[in-house]
Every structure is written in structure tokens, then in C-alpha cells.
Amino acid sequence: MQKIRTISDLEDIRESILQDKDSEKTIIRLCLSTGCRAQKSLKVNEALENEIKKYGLQNKIEIKKTGCHGFCEMGPIMVIEPANIFYCNVKPKYAGDIISETVLNGNVINRLLWKDPLTKELTKTEKDFPVYRKQRKNVFYNSGKIDPTDIDDYIAAGGYSALGKALATMTPPEIVKTVVDSGLRGRGGGGFPTGIKWRICSAAPGDIKYIIANGDEGDPGAFMDRSLMEGDPHAIIEGMIIAAFAIGANQGFIYIRKEYPIAIDHLSIAIKQAEECGLLGNDILGTGFNFTIKIDRGAGAFVCGEETALMISIEGRSGIPRSRPPYPAFEGLWGKPTVINNVETFANIPKIILKGADWYSSIGTSTSKGTKIFSLVGKVRNTGLIEVEMGTTLREIIFDIGGGVRKGKRFKAVQTGGPSGGCIPISRIDMPIDYDSLKDAGAIMGSGGMIVMDETSCMVDVARYFINFLLFESCGKCIPCREGLKQMHHILTNICEGLGEKGDIERLEELAHFMMATSLCGLGGTAPNPVLSTIRYFRDEYDAHIYDKKCSAGVCKNLFEYVIDAELCNGCTICKLKCPEKAISGEKKKPHSINPLLCIKCGICFNLCKREAIRVK
Amino acid sequence: MKVSVIIDGQMVQIEQGAPIIDAAKKAGIFIPTLCYHEALKPYGSCCLCIVEVIQDGQRRLVTSCNFPAAVGMEIFTNTARVRQSRRMIVELLLVRCPDVPLLQTMAKQMGTGLSRFKTREANECILCGLCVRFCEEVVGVGAIGLANRGVDREVATPFKMASDVCIGCGSCTYICPTGCIKMVSDRKTPNLRSLKMGNCSLVPCPNSYQCETCQIEQEFFKDIKRVIAEFRSKGQ
Ligand SMILES: Cc1cc2nc3c(=O)[nH]c(=O)nc-3n(C[C@H](O)[C@H](O)[C@H](O)COP(=O)(O)O)c2cc1C
Ligand code: SF4
Ligand code: SF4
Ligand code: FES
């Protein structure tokens, strides 16, 4: 790799990389991110390479090992260019067909195409993939397209031109002003205006300042930050360099949890390449500006994602939050002014610098600008990472992009914002989502997790589940969070076990408001959300649990019974055969019945019965 | 630089950035605390010292032992919200440590004899961290620490093994507000005293408490004695 010494060097190199590209070549973009790797995409890669060798086509076909496309469940995923053919669930054994049929003869292999689970229609090209239709890929644009371990690919895609622009034509205050005007808000959870944070830090007294990228991503089920770090690491680095220049920092850190080895690997490679090209290090692009980045591995505790705990962890002590103020922008890492932003926040920066604040602020709603990546999981048909404009409605996300609820069940709620988010019911599904509307609905944006729940979820149990998670992830330092969560968990468990009593809901509410007002950090401050939002929207379920001792979703084992509807049962005997407790009796072709004294409510019969004759009562 | 703040209607001047509990002391207003101690850096874990603050038009609850005073701040130490929150803290602590007299007294003072939460644990440690911080910051030894996270958090020696750095000064027993750490007589140790606490045993002084002849200990003790004397004279 050549050293890039000046800004015109950068443009020359970009041109020469583009010229060297052979437009005749077939390019197979194969995902080698965590999700697809788990489904053997490395083996697929190997098989493809062997086939290419067999045909002697090394000069005609290139396998581009890309990052995540967002739909890991259907992995391994590949796109064959220039025809843009989109294959999913690719197995190594199909490698031969892919080369001989698709690449050499232009024939599409139908069994590798994506089939709409509802309409059974096949999708041929990536462009036509219906799941992408309502999305707007802005931050997640490069992931799945470029090879994240090759800086040339990033530069060819326009990478580092924002850095060039910032260093050559803008002063630090101008950069800060652009970010302020863009309206970008932090993607790590709090939604604090990024530009304002930078402005405060650049005005804070001190010669030494730091930049930290938060890639801790502790929310269970969320993987947008991981995919971004794996799929487009240079965008994060470019954003960090611009931020460093804007606030006058010379040292940066990226904090990644150690469970993300590929993200650590790709970012390490990216940092090394950027150093070799002179985009990191001393005298960047001949401007006299110095900046280096170090990677720090997180120990994996959820609370270490909290900014003060994270900084203490980088300092080498155990990650326990401390009170703010002082805010990190004044007194952060080693007591020096520090800007800490989420990795997705940083990845937004290059586009804002290149296209301007006006362009960016034209996207989104009045208070939340730009796009947001969400991880859509749970009981939806299409699960995966999606990027949509702020202000997209929940209905569009869950039904148009996510394809609706699985197996024809009814939508009940969507939990947004990670473990300390809230559950939003059907009545609010046409709400355009942004930071403020979510807060108003009793949830939070958080880092962008979305868990869709159907009628088989008990909302009291859901609240109990998240409180249990937070109880063990709380650092235990402050009393409101540690002891408050303990009592909440106790009350919720009682309700779920049928021991709930009058006053429990009020006690929960009182604890919740107390914790929100007095907890030391954001964990305790947001932890009551799952409880308050479920009480707010599903109070009838709480009441049914406490007073009628009934769980209509069939989750809380003490509070329901399975019964067989004699009119629907045709006596197929399958339930009787599979019941581990032999609790079901009945003759062939005659209605069966369940002995409630023997039934352990394992749910096997309930899920087996094709005629849906088994009911929750 | 000095700033003026208004605390419960009184105008008080204190150093900018000093914790607002200092303003309360100056104004002669009592604020209950558990994890705060003058000789130690503020920690902000018990939240008992909360007060209501109006700053830049925002009204919120903050911990007075570490929230920095700033120009134009208005502080209320005894609002209904403050009283309610303090009562909740004591109630929650009483669940954890039902037999600690200090908490029982506090609860009575706040007008909440019994906790409304029915669970009862048999702990004595409220995890205020005073012992840990005193051992580290004042004694300079760091024999005990706060281990684990969440509900499992506890005061312990590293790996819960008998500490070989504890000098047996007994500071932790003095500072512990609940009497959780005790000095006990131990026949196996030369000087018949050793520290016992729920889950950590502290190895006694290797020098058999011959402090008079031990230089290092002498140095330590001078400081510790002064602080402990001060601490006790504050009416503990
Ligand atoms: C318990 C807790 C966990 C957090 N975890 C993360 C995390 O995993 N990643 C993240 O970027 N921010 C996390 N945050 C938010 C950070 O404290 C901080 O606000 C954020 O990194 C700032 O970046 P932003 O302004 O770009 O959002 C967490 C906050 C709390 C209270
Ligand atoms: S709110 Fe919870 S996580 Fe945060 S400091 Fe308090 S105990 Fe620790
Ligand atoms: S042992 Fe005593 S001083 Fe130490 S943390 Fe527990 S209550 Fe506080
Ligand atoms: S005395 Fe202030 S938080 Fe404990």
C-alpha cells in the first residue's frame, strides 16, 4: 500500500484503484461475518475457490469476502455481480452449480433464491429483495458490498474523502458546527446531540483530550454494532479521525467486547492499514495533525457499556459507574476531556461531512435526523438488521419489512430499546419512531433492538424476564438499582406464580418512579421501563394474574390449564403418544382429554396438535 | 472561586464545585448519609443524602455528597419527594439487613416502622463501601474490596482467601456503620485478636501487633488514629 501524503494523493490513489478494476470480472460478494460464518460460509468460500481453480477462472471471477448483509438467519448469503443475483442459504455443495450454471451460463438456480414465506414468490436480484424496499441504507451501505479487510475497497467506494474534505477545507469549529447543524444524535442509547457533545469537549480546558468509540453492545439479541464493525470498520475510523481533529484529540480508543473476535480482527486490520497509508499516525495527510487509535477489549459486562464504567475499565479498574457530573466531556478518561460516542454515531460522520448538514437534516423527523439501524428479532417472518429513516412507523418496520408475525399468530407488542426498553402495543403501531415518540410511549430508542411478540407472550412474564436480566447485570453499587430491582423481581415472580396480591401493581409503580429518579446511572434509571410500559398497556393482564389467577397467554404455569376442545379434536392420538407424563387419555378417533392433575404444562401437545384443539384456559 | 447557592431558603457561600452537602453543613441543615465520610472521596452509592435541586430551570433529585455546587443553584433538602425517596431507601435496606439497629432507628425517625416488602434477608452489610475505601484511601493497604456484580456484590478479600496484607489496624470495624465487621478474639493468633466478617477473614499482623517497634505500622497508625479520633468525635 502506498503512503498517502497529501489530499491530492488520496484522490489519485482512488482513481488508480478504480481504473485497475476489471469491469468484465464476475464478482461474487460472499458474506463472511459472524452470522454467515456460523452457517459455514467459510466452507462455501473454500468450495467456490476450488471450483474457480478447476475451471481456471481465477482472472475472471473474484470472491469478495464482505461483511453482514443484515439477514443472518438466511445465511450464508451471496450476491453475484454484475447480474446482482441474490442467493441465500448457500451450502458448499452448490458451489459447482453456482460457477457452472449461474456464472458461466447465466442461469439462475431457483432453490437458492429467496422465497417470500407468505406469497411464495421468488426474488431474483438483490435490488428486488422486498425486505430492502422500505429501507434506506446510509450507514450500513458498505457492509455486504466491500471487503472490510481491504482499505482499497473502502477508498474506491469514496472512503476517506470526507476526511480529506474536513482536513483540507474545514476548521475544527466548522466541523463541529456541521455536526451540530446536522441534528445527529447519539446512537448508543441516550440520544444526546453529538455536535453539542463535541462543542462542550472542544471548549473544555486541557491540552490532552481523548476520543472513545463505544462498541460494547451489551443488549442481548442486538448485533448492529458488531455487524458495522465487521462490515465497514473504516467508516468508524474515519468518523473518529474527523472527531479527533474537531476537538483536538490525538489518541483514540475503540472499546469492543471480547465476544466479538471478528470485529476486533477487522478493526485491528483496518487500523493497521490506515496507519500504513498515513491516514492514522503523525502528520495525517500532510496537515501536521496526529492521531492514533488503540483497541480495548471489554470484559463483557452489560454495565461496562455505560460511559463512565467504560472509561474506568479502559483505565484498568473494574467497570463500575460513577456519578455524573463531572461529565466525560469535561473529565473523562484519566480525568481529561473525552468524547465518547457509539460506533454507529461515528459511522454517520463521514456522510455528514461529505454531503453537508442540510442534506442530513432533511432525512428523518423534526427532532431525530438521519437513519437508524435496528435489529428486528422475535416472532417476525424476516428477522435481521434493517436501516430505516427516522420517522418510519412501527407498522412499516414489522409488517412491510419484517413480513408480519410468524405462523399467522396475532401481533401483541414490540419491545424496543434493549432490556431496559418498553413494550409498545398494537394501538401505537402507526407511531412514527424517533427518540421522542418512543420515550413518549414509555420505551426508549436504546441501541436499536426490536423484539416482536405475539399472543403467546405473557407481558408480566416479559417484564419479569427483563428485570431478571438487569438484576444480574446491575453493578450493585447504588441502592435504588440493586435493592429496587431485587424487590421488583420478587413481586413480579410472585405475580407469575399466582401469589400476587392487591397493592402489588402500586408497589411496582412506586419502586419504578423511585428508581428512575434516584439511581446513579442509566441502568437503574431506565430499568423500570419494561415494568411501567407493561403496566401501562397491559394492566388487564396484571389484574388477571393477581385477582383471577389466570395467565391467558399460557406462560405462567400455575395460572392456566390445557384443555382439549371436544368439537375440534378428531382423536388422532398424537398428543396422547407424545405426552411425557401420560396425562392424556382417549380412544382413537374420539375426543381426548387431559388430566390436569398429571399435566406438567410442558406445552408439547399444545404445539403438536394440528387442529389447534388444545386451548389455554 | 466562591459561589452563592440557596439552600432551604438560606443563602450560603461555598467553593464552586464543592459537594452541596457542604452548603448544608454551613447552613446547619442535617442531611442523613450512609456512605459519606469526610475523610474519604465521595462515592455516591447509598443515595440517602438526596436533595432536590433546581439548576438551569430543571428540577431533579441528586446526591448531595457528590453533586457539585454551581452558581444560582437552589437546593431543597426536605421536600415530600426527598422524604419519600429516603424512606424508600431505608425500607429497602431493612429488607436486606432487618437486624441492624442503625437502620431500625432511621426507619423509626422517618416514620416507617416496618418495611412493606415482605422478604427478609439476613445480611448485615449495606455495601456502603466505607470499609473498603477507608482501608484503601486512608490506611493505604487495600486488604478488602467489593467483589462481584449486582445481587452478588459483597465485601471480600481477593479470592476470599485470608488476606496477607491486612495490618489488623481495625479501621474497618470502627467505620462500619452497621457493625458488620467485628474484632474478635482468636486463640490461634499471637495477640488474640483477628477480624471476622461474613465472608472474609483477615490475617493478623505478621509482627504480632508489636506496633511500637514496627516503623511502618507507626507511620500508619499516626494517621489512622487521628482520623478515627476525628470520626468518633463527630458523635458516632
Ligand atoms: C447500562 C448501560 C449500558 C450501555 N451500553 C452501551 C453500549 O453497549 N453501547 C453504547 O454505544 N452505549 C451504551 N450505553 C450508553 C453510553 O453510556 C453512552 O451514552 C454512549 O456510548 C454515548 O454515545 P452516543 O452519544 O453516541 O450514543 C449504555 C448506557 C448504560 C446506562
Ligand atoms: S444504577 Fe445500577 S448499574 Fe448504575 S451505578 Fe447504580 S447499581 Fe450500578
Ligand atoms: S462491611 Fe460495613 S463498612 Fe463495609 S461495606 Fe458493609 S456496611 Fe459498609
Ligand atoms: S451519602 Fe451520598 S450517596 Fe451515600
Side-chain angles (χ1 to χ4, degrees):
Chain A
M1 183 77 221
Q2 257 172 292
K3 200 93 179 164
I4 306 174
R5 292 211 169 73
T6 63
I7 289 150
S8 59
D9 261 10
L10 178 68
E11 293 312 317
D12 293 345
I13 286 176
R14 191 187 328 278
E15 224 149 86
S16 79
I17 299 171
L18 286 172
Q19 258 164 22
D20 288 349
K21 284 225 160 136
D22 186 350
S23 54
E24 302 283 285
K25 243 185 189 175
T26 299
I27 294 180
I28 302 178
R29 288 194 269 122
L30 173 68
C31 175
L32 281 181
S33 243
T34 303
C36 286
R37 265 193 215 196
Q39 302 179 71
K40 304 211 170 66
S41 66
L42 281 169
K43 285 254 160 60
V44 175
N45 179 44
E46 208 175 289
L48 282 170
E49 270 172 3
N50 287 339
E51 286 298 319
I52 294 171
K53 252 189 231 136
K54 206 168 86 190
Y55 288 94
L57 289 171
Q58 287 95 323
N59 294 328
K60 289 262 183 285
I61 308 175
E62 182 191 333
I63 304 177
K64 201 182 275 289
K65 305 177 187 70
T66 74
C68 183
H69 294 242
F71 289 85
C72 311
E73 201 175 281
M74 335 187 303
I77 288 178
M78 64 163 65
V79 179
I80 301 169
E81 300 286 17
N84 198 238
I85 293 163
F86 182 78
Y87 284 159
C88 47
N89 292 316
V90 180
K91 304 221 160 48
K93 64 179 178 200
Y94 299 139
D97 289 355
I98 290 170
I99 301 296
S100 63
E101 287 295 314
T102 311
V103 175
L104 293 176
N105 289 321
N107 294 331
V108 173
I109 305 166
N110 279 349
R111 67 169 174 275
L112 292 179
L113 292 178
W114 184 74
K115 187 154 107 190
D116 191 307
L118 208 59
T119 61
K120 311 283 175 223
E121 250 171 71
L122 295 176
T123 297
K124 204 173 129 192
T125 62
E126 189 187 22
K127 283 187 218 98
D128 295 331
F129 190 34
V131 176
Y132 286 159
R133 242 175 257 152
K134 292 234 166 160
Q135 296 196 42
R136 176 159 183 170
K137 302 239 173 184
N138 180 16
V139 176
F140 213 50
Y141 182 79
N142 277 337
S143 185
K145 292 206 172 59
I146 63 166
D147 180 348
T149 59
D150 184 358
I151 193 170
D152 280 1
D153 242 24
Y154 181 69
I155 292 176
Y160 288 112
S161 41
L163 178 66
K165 180 178 174 189
L167 293 189
T169 66
M170 298 169 87
T171 61
E174 277 167 7
I175 299 174
V176 172
K177 185 170 183 307
T178 306
V179 179
V180 171
D181 292 344
S182 73
L184 173 67
R185 293 171 69 174
R187 299 296 193 241
F192 190 81
T194 306
I196 307 279
K197 196 186 267 187
W198 292 15
R199 184 173 279 164
I200 296 170
C201 189
S202 66
D207 294 338
I208 300 174
K209 290 178 185 173
Y210 296 108
I211 293 280
I212 301 175
N214 187 343
D216 191 53
E217 193 168 55
D219 297 10
F223 56 108
M224 39 260 152
D225 289 355
R226 186 194 73 204
S227 295
L228 197 58
M229 290 187 278
E230 288 178 1
D232 199 9
H234 283 288
I236 298 164
I237 293 172
E238 190 178 356
M240 289 177 74
I241 306 173
I242 294 170
F245 181 67
I247 67 149
N250 301 112
Q251 175 70 58
F253 294 88
I254 308 179
Y255 190 87
I256 317 175
R257 56 178 40 231
K258 66 175 191 302
E259 288 92 336
Y260 285 179
I262 303 173
I264 293 176
D265 193 35
H266 285 187
L267 271 162
S268 312
I269 294 171
I271 290 171
K272 196 153 157 276
Q273 289 174 341
E275 279 169 353
E276 280 167 9
C277 307
L279 293 168
L280 276 176
N282 288 339
D283 194 16
I284 295 170
L285 294 178
T287 57
F289 167 59
N290 310 330
F291 184 60
T292 48
I293 297 178
K294 271 199 208 120
I295 289 182
D296 213 282
R297 280 157 221 232
F302 177 68
V303 75
C304 283
E306 198 277 335
E307 53 190 23
T308 60
L310 187 148
M311 292 186 303
I312 290 172
S313 169
I314 292 183
E315 288 171 12
R317 291 176 287 144
S318 71
I320 302 280
R322 63 157 171 83
S323 315
R324 297 171 305 174
Y327 286 94
F330 288 108
E331 259 185 75
L333 196 58
W334 289 296
K336 308 289 183 210
T338 303
V339 158
I340 171 163
N341 276 129
N342 173 259
V343 287
E344 188 185 331
T345 313
F346 280 120
N348 271 288
I349 299 297
K351 286 254 160 75
I352 292 174
I353 297 296
L354 265 189
K355 299 195 179 176
D358 288 342
W359 167 79
Y360 195 83
S361 62
S362 70
I363 310 169
T365 65
S366 60
T367 57
S368 309
K369 302 297 182 188
T371 55
K372 175 80 191 89
I373 308 176
F374 291 99
S375 85
L376 186 63
V377 296
K379 305 276 177 57
V380 274
R381 285 209 174 85
N382 312 319
T383 62
L385 289 186
I386 59 161
E387 182 173 355
V388 292
E389 195 170 323
M390 293 277 189
T392 307
T393 66
L394 280 172
R395 187 186 295 280
E396 284 171 301
I397 293 177
I398 295 162
F399 289 90
D400 298 344
I401 299 173
V405 178
R406 275 188 202 172
K407 281 203 220 118
K409 288 249 172 11
R410 258 182 315 152
F411 170 86
K412 186 168 194 178
V414 54
Q415 210 265 357
T416 71
S420 48
C423 295
I424 301 173
I426 186 93
S427 59
R428 288 242 172 180
I429 198 159
D430 287 310
M431 179 179 87
I433 43 167
D434 66 13
Y435 289 99
D436 307 282
S437 65
L438 282 171
K439 198 164 170 210
D440 185 52
I444 50 170
M445 178 77 76
S447 56
M450 274 196 188
I451 306 170
V452 177
M453 289 176 269
D454 65 14
E455 55 204 309
T456 59
S457 293
C458 161
M459 299 319 280
V460 186
D461 179 66
V462 165
R464 190 192 55 84
Y465 171 83
F466 287 116
I467 293 300
N468 185 48
F469 173 86
L470 292 164
L471 176 62
F472 286 93
E473 291 300 332
S474 151
C475 80
K477 176 173 174 178
C478 72
I479 292 173
C481 174
R482 183 188 71 226
E483 304 297 332
L485 279 171
K486 213 184 328 184
Q487 288 312 321
M488 272 191 167
H489 184 252
H490 185 77
I491 298 174
L492 288 167
T493 306
N494 271 353
I495 298 179
C496 288
E497 285 176 355
L499 302 171
E501 38 181 78
K502 191 164 178 286
D504 276 352
I505 299 181
E506 290 68 30
R507 258 193 293 277
L508 282 173
E509 283 174 330
E510 193 186 339
L511 271 171
H513 294 298
F514 158 74
M515 284 168 65
M516 294 212 275
T518 54
S519 290
L520 190 157
C521 86
L523 193 151
T526 53
N529 282 333
V531 176
L532 282 182
S533 65
T534 48
I535 293 180
R536 175 166 161 192
Y537 297 117
F538 301 94
R539 202 185 174 103
D540 52 334
E541 274 187 48
Y542 277 86
D543 284 342
H545 278 68
I546 296 171
Y547 300 110
D548 311 335
K549 309 286 174 210
K550 282 284 168 230
C551 173
S552 58
V555 175
C556 302
K557 296 210 159 143
N558 291 352
L559 303 183
F560 72 95
E561 272 175 13
Y562 283 122
V563 291
I564 296 180
D565 186 331
E567 281 179 18
L568 287 175
C569 175
N570 65 357
C572 74
T573 74
I574 178 114
C575 57
K576 184 175 153 189
L577 288 173
K578 293 283 152 108
C579 175
E581 297 299 309
K582 304 214 181 329
I584 304 180
S585 55
E587 282 171 45
K588 226 180 187 170
K589 298 210 173 132
K590 294 226 172 94
H592 284 38
S593 62
I594 300 176
N595 179 352
L597 296 176
L598 293 177
C599 173
I600 55 161
K601 290 162 197 155
C602 64
I604 291 178
C605 58
F606 180 74
N607 290 322
L608 271 178
C609 181
K610 293 228 162 49
R611 297 181 60 86
E612 296 191 358
I614 301 180
R615 296 243 172 90
V616 170
K617 197 181 122 192
Chain B
M1 197 180 73
K2 294 251 186 211
V3 291
S4 312
V5 298
I6 301 172
I7 180 160
D8 290 347
Q10 286 186 55
M11 176 88 87
V12 176
Q13 287 228 320
I14 57 165
E15 208 55 48
Q16 162 147 20
I20 49 188
I21 200 168
D22 287 3
K25 278 186 212 155
K26 243 186 157 171
I29 297 166
F30 171 75
I31 293 181
T33 59
L34 275 173
C35 72
Y36 170 76
H37 188 271
E38 269 184 346
L40 301 173
K41 286 191 216 127
Y43 186 58
S45 80
C46 75
C47 302
L48 197 67
C49 66
I50 48 167
V51 294
E52 219 166 338
V53 159
I54 302 183
Q55 190 181 17
D56 306 328
Q58 269 192 333
R59 192 184 184 105
R60 56 177 175 146
L61 291 174
V62 302
T63 43
S64 62
C65 68
N66 61 6
F67 198 88
V71 182
M73 199 178 241
E74 214 176 328
I75 305 156
F76 303 90
T77 68
N78 198 14
T79 63
R81 230 174 130 203
V82 165
R83 285 195 303 268
Q84 224 174 1
S85 305
R86 286 192 189 144
R87 211 177 301 139
M88 182 66 105
I89 292 169
V90 174
E91 265 187 74
L92 287 172
L93 279 178
L94 264 183
V95 176
R96 181 186 171 90
C97 318
D99 304 319
V100 168
L102 171 75
L103 294 175
Q104 290 165 345
T105 322
M106 273 186 169
K108 236 176 250 147
Q109 277 163 2
M110 293 183 186
T112 159
L114 272 173
S115 178
R116 282 165 304 155
F117 303 105
K118 266 168 276 140
T119 41
R120 242 177 98 97
E121 292 165 45
N123 214 319
E124 272 186 310
C125 174
I126 55 170
L127 295 170
C128 65
L130 279 174
C131 52
V132 172
R133 288 178 293 138
F134 201 93
C135 188
E136 187 181 311
E137 290 175 33
V138 180
V139 187
V141 163
I144 40 183
L146 284 155
N148 307 330
R149 228 182 354 193
V151 272
D152 299 325
R153 195 165 163 87
E154 60 181 351
V155 173
T157 50
F159 307 108
K160 291 202 189 170
M161 301 212 306
S163 166
D164 49 6
V165 291
C166 168
I167 57 165
C169 71
S171 300
C172 51
T173 65
Y174 283 111
I175 203 151
C176 178
T178 69
C180 178
I181 305 184
K182 292 177 192 74
M183 190 85 77
V184 293
S185 58
D186 183 347
R187 230 164 296 163
K188 275 182 267 156
T189 58
N191 221 16
L192 299 180
R193 59 176 203 167
S194 166
L195 297 167
K196 277 275 180 293
M197 192 187 97
N199 38 39
C200 54
S201 58
L202 300 163
V203 156
C205 170
N207 207 12
S208 311
Y209 300 104
Q210 304 288 312
C211 304
E212 293 77 1
T213 61
C214 170
Q215 268 256 278
I216 312 161
E217 248 97 319
Q218 277 305 305
E219 297 282 74
F220 274 139
F221 264 77
K222 247 198 248 152
D223 214 36
I224 290 162
K225 273 184 187 151
R226 182 181 55 80
V227 180
I228 291 171
E230 270 177 28
F231 180 65
R232 287 183 144 176
S233 69
K234 290 219 172 65
Q236 284 288 313

